[in-house]
Amino acid sequence: MRLRALLDTDALGLGLLGGEDELDRTVRGVMTTDLRDPSRYLSGGELVLTGLAWRRDAADSEPFVRILVQAGVAALAAGEAELGDVPEDLVAACARHRLPLFAVHESVAFATITEHVVRQVSGERAGDLAAVVDRHRRMMTSGPAGGGPDVVLDLLGSDLDLRAWVLSPTGRLIAGPKTAGPGLAAEVCAKLAAEQLAAVRTGRRGPHRVIVGQTTFSLFPIRSSGGRPPHTPRVPPSPQPSRTAHGPGAAGAPGARDVRESVLSDWLLAVEADAGDWADERLDLLQGVTQLIAVERDRRDAARTVRRRLAQEVLELVQTGAAPAEIAARLRVAAPVLLPGLGAAPHWQVVVARVEWENGAAEAGPVAQSLLEEILVDPGATGPEPSDRIAVAHTGDEAIALVPLPAMPAEHEGGETGVLADALLATVREPLSAGLDGDGRLTLGVSAAVHSAEGLRGALEEARHARRVAAARPGRVCAAGHQELASHVLLLPFVPDDVRRAFTARLLDPLRDYDRRHRAELIPTLEAFLDCDGSWTRCASRLHLHVNTLRYRVGRIEQLTSRDLSRLEDKLDFFLALRMS
């Protein structure tokens, strides 16, 4: 479609501020962004919609416009809802670069313009998908009865013979065709999500081609507005210092920083086909479908606002030392929202997550918030609805989840219920590790279930302690539970590094040196001996040694270290040294 046609549609609320001579440009798509550098998401010919959140002062307009022009966009449309009239510096920059500029009246939603442009472009480009887009638009505006994204995926199958699925960044199946045979296996979903996250992190422009087994997939990102979750008020920060790094990338690379803020929250459309063989027209049509599905994503995020506010309110009361009666009253308000139809008051768990970037990044809290909302959904659940029962707040670079649990029968009390740290990351570790690879970490801590408002403050501190234990472990994605706080592992992360190195060196270095010279395997022998609780018979059997050979090795360990492995104190020292090494 031509830019001129946009001005002829009164419902779009567009006013021309500059570029009258360029109105015959062709619009091939539409993108909403508030990123300071959205170039990696642009392919040329787009109408760019912006709320101007990227603009801090007049000097920001020139580089922003220059980036758009270099990417070959058709025009820029700036919303008046945030700042009122479009700033003159932006008008002047667009005039210098001959970039058409529109003002969007504050009463018009960007989603309205997006749907109009996608519908028009689809109708002009190819009649086969125009019906799909139009039917999907009607479905999206008809409420839950319309069927959600699954319907448009069915239409892609019936009208274009394309099988496609919508996946979360952790590989959870959001939507899939209901009429196209078997769905995707969980391991395939995880693989596709990991490939998408890795491709975006390395700056490759989509769609991304991935082969899993004998099947070729093309992956299209589905981005919400600007890639950020909706704004929610923040809980006052806890007294602990922030651990967010501030390295070279923190201030000098806004584009890279923005990618980190969005890559772990974007959905993706996985199409069972090789898009490398497609004509530009079909690629444009699929991009249009992703934009329409993004409208559903934005609606889901908007629906989370109530639950996020509930979590923020409860956690603010907990952290400021409010009376338990006041906290309990807020919990009674939250319970029907998070667990509709529940007869009895639930128990609660607290889960704390932190995303940390080695080179620094802004707004780590919203990233952790989005991830935690996704991670806490049952991995076997499909669709967006399961996440509607999770309330997550964020403070600084930390996200805090309030997880409701139905009251358990008396015979089950004391058993393990609710969120378990060791199972929490099992299905999402692969894709998240790909998304964090290079400079990011995600660590989580899980509290025990509490049965009243009085227990929430302790549960929050317990979850934070558990997260610190997880942070002391190697790996990009780690979690720890409350059970580990009653163990020696609680103490190990807080031993200073110089003390840790001196302690382990004194006990283990003589054994390592001996093993290197004689290939004696004293370290493996020591580990097995302690694992077998000092049982000579069981240890010899595990190592496939004669007991006398085992006794010789243990004697050599004692001789080299001047320790006695029959003494509990010396056994404990060796055990801790091995754990800290």
Side-chain angles (χ1 to χ4, degrees):
M1 66 178 299
R2 304 287 183 182
L3 286 175
R4 192 179 305 279
L6 296 175
L7 288 176
D8 296 335
T9 307
D10 294 338
L12 299 184
L14 295 177
L16 184 64
L17 299 181
E20 185 174 6
D21 295 336
E22 306 292 331
L23 291 181
D24 286 328
R25 291 187 182 186
T26 299
V27 179
R28 300 180 58 194
V30 62
M31 176 192 176
T32 300
T33 186
D34 277 319
L35 301 179
R36 302 183 72 186
D37 180 5
S39 57
R40 67 176 62 240
Y41 304 129
L42 298 169
S43 56
E46 296 94 342
L47 170 66
V48 174
L49 306 174
T50 181
L52 301 177
W54 50 267
R55 183 185 178 276
R56 297 171 186 168
D57 54 46
D60 291 334
S61 293
E62 174 67 21
F64 181 77
V65 172
R66 189 185 310 118
I67 287 169
L68 299 187
V69 171
Q70 290 172 351
V73 306
L76 174 65
E80 297 178 333
E82 186 72 20
L83 300 179
D85 293 340
V86 177
E88 286 298 325
D89 48 271
L90 181 59
V91 176
C94 288
R96 280 193 297 272
H97 292 277
R98 301 179 63 83
L99 179 67
L101 176 63
F102 298 96
V104 182
H105 193 270
E106 61 181 329
S107 63
V108 179
F110 284 174
T112 300
I113 300 174
T114 298
E115 291 182 8
H116 176 83
V117 172
V118 170
R119 188 166 65 252
Q120 294 298 318
V121 169
S122 298
E124 294 174 4
R125 291 282 182 168
D128 59 349
L129 195 59
V132 175
V133 174
D134 188 61
R135 288 157 69 186
H136 182 251
R137 179 187 60 81
R138 294 196 302 269
M139 178 274 296
M140 295 286 281
T141 57
S142 63
D150 302 89
V151 173
V152 75
L153 299 182
D154 280 333
L155 294 176
L156 285 175
S158 61
D159 292 12
L160 294 182
D161 195 28
L162 290 175
R163 296 212 315 157
W165 298 264
V166 178
L167 305 178
S168 78
T170 64
R172 184 171 64 88
L173 184 64
I174 299 293
K178 291 182 167 55
T179 60
L184 290 180
E187 57 270 20
V188 175
C189 292
K191 176 68 174 176
L192 294 176
E195 291 287 345
Q196 172 72 8
L197 290 173
V200 174
R201 284 300 308 274
T202 55
R204 286 188 280 142
R205 183 170 293 178
H208 306 116
R209 180 174 176 270
V210 177
I211 299 176
V212 180
Q214 302 298 317
T215 306
T216 300
F217 295 90
S218 295
L219 308 181
F220 296 79
I222 301 172
R223 299 186 176 94
S224 57
S225 301
R228 292 175 178 269
H231 174 72
T232 53
R234 300 189 180 197
V235 175
S238 57
Q240 61 188 7
S242 170
R243 294 182 58 177
T244 301
H246 296 280
R257 184 171 66 245
D258 288 331
V259 169
R260 298 174 190 178
E261 293 175 2
S262 63
V263 67
L264 297 173
S265 60
D266 289 340
W267 287 357
L268 69 124
L269 178 68
V271 182
E272 191 180 287
D274 187 351
D277 299 331
W278 290 358
D280 289 343
E281 290 79 5
R282 177 160 286 210
L283 286 171
D284 289 343
L285 295 174
L286 263 293
Q287 295 289 358
V289 170
T290 64
Q291 290 169 346
L292 287 174
I293 296 176
V295 174
E296 177 70 12
R297 169 66 190 275
D298 288 341
R299 289 180 179 175
R300 187 204 66 160
D301 283 343
R304 283 183 170 176
T305 301
V306 173
R307 296 185 300 280
R308 286 174 170 175
R309 287 188 182 277
L310 285 172
Q312 296 281 0
E313 291 171 1
V314 172
L315 290 168
E316 182 174 355
L317 291 174
V318 170
Q319 292 193 160
T320 55
E326 187 177 358
I327 299 174
R330 292 295 176 91
L331 291 177
R332 284 194 294 271
V333 172
V337 176
L338 299 176
L339 288 175
L342 186 69
H347 305 322
W348 302 90
Q349 271 183 291
V350 175
V351 182
V352 171
R354 187 185 290 260
V355 171
E356 296 172 293
W357 306 103
E358 293 175 7
N359 294 323
E363 298 293 337
V367 178
Q369 184 180 42
S370 294
L371 276 180
L372 193 50
E373 286 172 333
E374 177 61 35
I375 290 170
L376 288 172
V377 177
D378 182 350
T382 59
E385 291 78 12
S387 62
D388 291 349
R389 297 186 175 186
I390 297 165
V392 184
H394 75 82
T395 167
D397 57 358
E398 178 183 74
I400 304 167
L402 195 63
V403 182
L405 305 174
M408 299 299 294
E411 60 269 20
H412 291 151
E413 291 191 5
E416 286 297 328
T417 62
V419 177
L420 301 178
D422 55 356
L424 195 59
L425 301 175
T427 61
V428 302
R429 193 180 303 276
E430 179 184 358
L432 288 185
S433 295
L436 294 161
D437 187 36
D439 63 348
R441 290 198 76 204
L442 170 68
T443 52
L444 297 96
V446 182
S447 78
V450 295
H451 313 286
S452 64
E454 290 89 340
L456 274 181
R457 185 174 184 84
L460 176 58
E461 292 306 313
E462 188 174 60
R464 282 175 169 158
H465 283 307
R467 193 209 62 78
R468 294 188 191 102
V469 171
R473 295 172 174 167
R476 292 289 173 189
V477 182
C478 299
H482 62 92
Q483 305 93 333
E484 299 174 68
L485 301 186
S487 168
H488 64 279
V489 296
L490 172 63
L491 303 176
L492 297 186
F494 307 106
V495 176
D497 287 343
D498 54 345
V499 175
R500 183 192 301 253
R501 286 191 294 269
F503 181 75
T504 56
R506 187 177 301 114
L507 281 173
L508 301 183
D509 279 2
L511 306 183
R512 293 190 180 111
D513 292 342
Y514 191 87
D515 281 347
R516 275 195 298 270
R517 293 196 307 269
H518 303 284
R519 298 182 180 178
E521 297 187 354
L522 296 185
I523 291 289
T525 300
L526 176 61
E527 291 174 334
F529 187 73
L530 295 175
D531 284 345
C532 293
D533 299 322
S535 169
W536 297 100
T537 304
R538 282 194 289 125
C539 185
S541 176
R542 175 185 292 189
L543 296 175
H544 306 289
L545 298 174
H546 192 278
V547 171
N548 288 341
T549 303
L550 176 61
R551 291 185 183 276
Y552 172 80
R553 289 188 182 179
V554 170
R556 179 63 68 184
I557 291 171
E558 293 175 333
Q559 181 183 15
L560 292 170
T561 60
S562 301
R563 297 296 184 106
D564 183 355
L565 278 169
S566 65
R567 298 178 68 247
L568 176 61
E569 294 89 342
D570 289 340
K571 286 181 182 177
L572 181 59
D573 283 348
F574 277 122
F575 176 79
L576 292 175
L578 290 169
R579 284 298 182 98
M580 289 191 291
S581 64

